[in-house]
C-alpha cells in the first residue's frame, strides 16, 4: 500500500457498489461473478484501487444490517484479494471494516470519517492500513437537513481537522490518513462547487485528498435540460472534467465509476504537465 499513498499519484479508485439501491450503479453488480468481472475490468482500465461498498449512502437511503453488508461484500473481497486486486472497504461500521480487512481489503474508506462508529478509529489503528476520512454529518436520512453552512470551506476543513485529531488520538498514524471533502454528503450543489473550487484549502490540512464527484447530482443539476436533471449515466464528460480539475489542483486521487475515461484524462493532464 505504500505506493498507493506515496508514489503513483494521482490514483484512480474504481467504484464497486454491491448494493441493489446505489444511485448510479445500484443493482448492476449484486451477483459475485458480475461484481468480480466488473472489478477486473476496472483494474484493466487502470484503477489502482477498487472501492467496494455493501450499503448505499445515497441521500434518503435506508440502512441495512451489518450482516447484510458483510454478506454482500465478503465473497467479492475474498475472490478479488485472491487475484491480487487492491481493495478498499466502503463502510461506516467498524465490525464490517475489521472483517473486510481480514478478508483482504487493504484500505478503509469511511464516509463518516469515524463519526458513525466510535470503534472505527481503533479498527483502523489496529489494521495499520490507510484510512480515508470523508467529511460527513449524518446518515443518509438526515443529511439533507444538515446541509447548512456559513462558510462551507472553512467548516468542512475544521470538521475534517477534528476527525484527524480523533484518529491520531486513537493511534492511527498520520501517514495512513487520506481526507475527502465528501461532495454530495450534507451539501447542496452550491456547497459542492465551493469545495471543488477550493480544494487547496483541504490540501492545506496536510494530507492526501481524495475527491468523489463521479456522476453526482450537482453535475446532473448543472447539465439539466427542459426535462430536468441530466440522467446519471449521461454525466460522464462532466465527471471527467472534475477529475482533471481535481488532479490539477493537487488531489491524491479520484473515486469514479467509469475508470477508463478518467484514466485517459489524467494521462493527458500528466503529459501536458511533463512538457512544461
Ligand atoms: N461517495 C459515495 C460513496 N462513497 N467514498 C468517498 N471516500 N468519497 C465519496 O465521495 C463517496 C464515497 C457515494 O457515491 P456512490 O453511490 O456512487 O458510491
Amino acid at each position: 500500500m505504500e505506493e498507493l499513498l506515496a508514489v503513483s499519484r494521482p490514483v484512480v479508485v474504481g467504484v464497486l457498489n454491491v448494493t441493489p439501491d446505489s444511485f448510479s450503479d445500484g443493482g448492476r453488480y449484486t451477483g459475485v461473478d458480475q461484481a468480480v468481472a466488473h472489478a477486473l475490468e476496472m483494474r484493466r482500465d487502470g484503477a489502482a484501487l477498487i472501492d467496494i461498498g455493501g450499503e448505499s449512502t445515497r441521500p434518503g437511503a435506508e440502512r441495512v444490517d451489518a450482516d447484510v453488508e458483510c454478506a454482500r461484500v465478503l465473497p467479492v473481497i475474498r475472490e478479488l484479494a485472491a487475484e491480487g486486486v487492491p481493495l478498499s472497504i466502503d463502510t461506516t461500521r467498524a465490525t464490517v471494516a475489521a472483517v473486510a480487512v481480514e478478508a483482504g481489503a487493504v484500505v478503509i474508506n469511511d464516509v463518516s470519517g469515524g463519526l458513525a462508529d466510535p470503534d472505527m478509529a481503533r479498527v483502523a489503528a489496529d489494521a495499520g492500513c490507510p484510512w480515508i476520512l470523508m467529511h460527513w454529518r449524518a446518515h443518509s436520512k438526515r443529511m439533507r437537513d444538515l446541509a447548512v453552512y456559513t462558510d462551507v470551506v472553512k467548516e468542512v476543513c475544521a470538521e475534517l481537522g477534528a476527525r484527524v485529531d480523533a484518529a491520531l488520538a486513537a493511534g492511527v498514524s498520520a501517514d495512513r490518513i487520506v481526507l475527502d471533502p465528501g461532495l454530495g454528503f450534507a451539501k447542496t450543489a452550491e456547497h459542492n462547487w465551493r469545495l471543488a473550487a477550493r480544494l487547496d484549502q483541504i490540501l492545506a490540512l496536510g494530507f492526501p485528498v481524495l475527491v468523489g464527484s463521479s456522476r453526482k447530482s450537482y453535475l446532473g443539476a448543472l447539465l439539466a435540460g427542459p426535462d430536468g436533471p441530466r440522467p446519471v449515466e449521461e454525466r460522464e464528460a462532466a465527471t471527467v472534467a472534475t477529475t482533471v480539475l481535481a488532479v490539477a489542483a493537487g488531489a491524491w486521487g479520484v473515486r469514479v465509476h467509469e475508470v477508463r475515461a478518467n484514466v485517459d484524462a489524467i494521462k493527458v493532464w500528466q503529459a501536458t504537465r511533463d512538457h512544461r
Side-chain angles (χ1 to χ4, degrees):
M1 233 3 62
E2 295 305 319
E3 72 280 4
L4 265 182
L5 280 176
V7 185
S8 57
R9 300 173 182 219
V11 166
V12 172
V13 178
V15 177
L16 184 63
N17 287 319
V18 285
T19 52
D21 56 344
S22 285
F23 81 94
S24 159
D25 51 357
R28 286 178 65 184
Y29 309 113
T30 43
V32 176
D33 291 349
Q34 291 158 296
V36 167
H38 183 56
L40 293 175
E41 184 191 357
M42 289 194 285
R43 277 290 279 172
R44 281 193 298 277
D45 287 342
L49 188 66
I50 303 297
D51 186 42
I52 177 162
E55 180 177 52
S56 173
T57 52
R58 69 185 292 170
E62 293 290 339
R63 297 218 63 195
V64 296
D65 291 340
D67 52 348
V68 172
E69 215 183 322
C70 287
R72 288 176 179 173
V73 298
L74 288 179
V76 183
I77 291 175
R78 288 197 190 100
E79 273 208 36
L80 289 171
E83 303 259 1
V85 175
L87 298 164
S88 56
I89 174 67
D90 185 348
T91 187
T92 58
R93 289 192 171 101
T95 48
V96 176
V99 292
V101 166
E102 208 176 287
V106 293
V107 173
I108 297 171
N109 174 27
D110 177 359
V111 299
S112 82
L115 265 182
D117 189 332
D119 283 341
M120 187 65 99
R122 185 188 46 79
V123 166
D126 288 351
C129 64
W131 183 14
I132 300 165
L133 302 170
M134 200 193 79
H135 177 265
W136 178 95
R137 285 186 161 176
H139 285 292
S140 304
K141 286 253 174 211
R142 288 184 53 229
M143 71 162 105
R144 280 203 189 100
D145 300 338
L146 298 176
V148 180
Y149 305 83
T150 307
D151 180 332
V152 68
V153 177
K154 242 193 211 159
E155 287 165 59
V156 166
C157 286
E159 289 168 34
L160 278 177
R163 300 320 307 153
V164 169
D165 291 345
L168 297 176
V172 174
S173 48
D175 65 0
R176 309 280 79 185
I177 292 174
V178 175
L179 298 181
D180 184 325
L183 301 179
F185 287 79
K187 290 163 196 94
T188 63
E190 174 66 19
H191 297 141
N192 293 326
W193 288 117
R194 288 198 65 77
L195 285 163
R198 296 313 309 266
L199 271 190
D200 59 312
Q201 298 290 306
I202 315 274
L203 283 156
L205 294 169
F207 297 91
V209 172
L210 178 69
V211 176
S213 56
S214 186
R215 300 180 178 173
K216 285 192 174 163
S217 61
Y218 75 109
L219 300 178
L222 178 76
L223 306 173
D227 298 333
R230 179 76 66 81
V232 163
E233 60 283 359
E234 294 171 30
R235 300 174 188 169
E236 222 45 72
T239 297
V240 169
T242 63
T243 287
V244 173
L245 291 166
V247 300
W252 164 77
V254 290
R255 179 183 178 278
V256 298
H257 300 86
E258 176 58 53
V259 169
R260 191 167 183 201
N262 288 281
V263 168
D264 288 357
I266 289 174
K267 284 185 177 162
V268 169
W269 168 74
Q270 281 170 324
T272 310
R273 180 200 56 188
D274 294 347
H275 285 78
R276 264 189 209 134

